[in-house]
């Protein structure tokens, strides 16, 4: 099952890039403008800065995944590991469907999940301002780590999957794979100063991303409800062999 989860996280990462192009182009543009003009003129130096702040973002995702997996393991253990993990998968599936419907505009109340993140972001954002201008790799890396905490429904979606892994290493790997899925597109968008993001069709991209999250939620519900049946089938098969 974990192999399929990694592929899902990677795919969602790719679609997350499209979502960012259509919905968050201003952030990419702002980060590009925050790089001094003399560095932007040197394409090699500018590319290093763009890679650095994207690496910082992915590092934050990975750390969040490690924490999510650790929390999931503790919850699953408290509920008995197998049934606890199924419970987490079921809850995650319902929430993912809710997030997807909210992204498509059909479930406005689910936006409260992201709104809470924005309230927390209000305390974190000043740290990013202290790192400007992005005139070296270390500042860019640190800025990327701050950027990774920016509220995003798609990031929250994958974090939910990390929790259901009930293992801190799996949780971290899920978020790492998701981050790597976003990397190529975000490097291109950052390198060209957000021009690509402004050319996207925001509504279409939002619907595609929402559909991916809804399908992922349904898949998690399928796993949660199928697991007991599979366990029962294996149990009977093993006893039948004796």
């Amino acid at each position: 099952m974990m192999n399929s989860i990694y592929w899902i996280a990677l795919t969602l990462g790719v679609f997350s890039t499209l979502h960012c192009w259509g919905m968050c182009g201003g952030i990419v543009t702002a980060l590009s403008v925050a790089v001094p003009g003399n560095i932007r003129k040197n394409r090699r130096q500018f590319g290093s800065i763009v890679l650095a702040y994207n690496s910082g973002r992915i590092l934050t995702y990975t750390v969040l995944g490690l924490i999510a997996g650790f929390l999931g393991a503790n919850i699953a253990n408290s509920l008995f590991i197998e049934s606890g993990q199924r419970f987490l998968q079921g809850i995650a599936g319902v929430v993912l469907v809710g997030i997807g419907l909210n992204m498509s505009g059909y479930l406005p109340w689910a936006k409260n999940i992201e709104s809470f993140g924005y309230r927390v972001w209000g305390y974190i954002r000043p740290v990013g301002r202290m790192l400007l201008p992005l005139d070296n790799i270390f500042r860019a890396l640190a800025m990327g780590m701050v950027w990774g905490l920016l509220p995003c429904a798609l990031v929250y979606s994958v974090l939910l999957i990390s929790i259901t892994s009930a293992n801190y290493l799996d949780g971290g790997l899920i978020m790492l794979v998701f981050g790597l899925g976003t990397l190529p597109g975000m490097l291109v968008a950052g390198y060209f100063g957000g021009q690509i993001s402004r050319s996207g069709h925001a509504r279409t991209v939002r619907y595609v991303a929402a559909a991916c999250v809804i399908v992922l939620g349904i898949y998690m519900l399928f796993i949660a409800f199928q697991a007991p049946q599979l366990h029962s089938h294996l149990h009977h098969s093993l006893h039948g062999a004796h």
Side-chain angles (χ1 to χ4, degrees):
M1 186 186 76
M2 284 309 301
N3 286 337
S4 62
I5 294 296
Y6 293 140
W7 280 110
I8 289 171
L10 182 65
T11 303
L12 199 55
V14 174
F15 280 107
S16 175
T17 300
L18 299 176
H19 177 260
C20 288
W21 282 6
M23 305 299 292
C24 308
I27 297 171
V28 178
T29 302
L31 288 172
S32 297
V33 172
V35 180
N38 63 311
I39 294 179
R40 286 204 305 273
K41 290 176 182 177
N42 186 319
R43 286 300 179 180
R44 185 171 181 178
Q45 283 186 299
F46 184 47
S48 298
I49 295 292
V50 173
L51 178 61
Y53 66 64
N54 275 284
S55 297
R57 175 178 57 84
I58 294 172
L59 177 59
T60 293
Y61 290 168
T62 305
V63 172
L64 290 175
L66 290 169
I67 295 171
F70 176 77
L71 291 175
N74 281 277
I75 295 172
N77 284 327
S78 68
L79 298 173
F80 301 105
I81 184 65
E82 185 182 348
S83 60
Q85 190 170 17
R86 291 201 304 270
F87 173 77
L88 290 174
Q89 289 165 346
I91 294 296
V94 171
V95 175
L96 284 169
V97 171
I99 290 174
L101 290 173
N102 170 65
M103 289 173 64
S104 61
Y106 291 109
L107 201 62
W109 64 263
K111 193 173 181 63
N112 293 331
I113 299 172
E114 204 170 34
S115 297
F116 174 76
Y118 275 109
R119 286 197 290 271
V120 176
W121 173 249
Y123 296 100
I124 300 171
R125 184 168 50 190
V127 177
R129 292 173 181 164
M130 294 169 58
L131 296 168
L132 300 177
L134 303 183
D135 54 5
N136 62 63
I137 289 176
F138 299 105
R139 281 177 176 267
L141 182 66
M143 175 60 85
M145 293 173 68
V146 174
W147 179 23
L149 296 171
L150 182 72
C152 174
L154 284 169
V155 174
Y156 293 162
S157 300
V158 187
L159 272 175
L160 279 171
I161 306 306
S162 296
I163 291 175
T164 67
S165 70
N167 181 288
Y168 75 98
L169 285 177
D170 286 334
L173 282 172
I174 288 169
M175 289 302 292
L176 174 61
V177 169
F178 167 75
L180 292 175
T182 70
L183 185 58
M186 295 307 290
L187 285 176
V188 172
Y191 194 77
F192 289 101
Q195 294 175 33
I196 293 178
S197 57
R198 289 193 293 271
S199 68
H201 299 285
R203 181 176 296 181
T204 300
V205 168
R206 186 174 74 244
Y207 286 146
V208 171
C212 288
V213 175
I214 292 171
V215 169
L216 179 56
I218 294 171
Y219 177 71
M220 293 306 299
L221 287 170
F222 174 78
I223 291 174
F225 285 109
Q226 283 292 108
Q229 298 176 25
L230 291 174
H231 178 74
S232 176
H233 175 73
L234 288 172
H235 177 77
H236 288 302
S237 296
L238 288 172
H239 280 273
H242 291 295

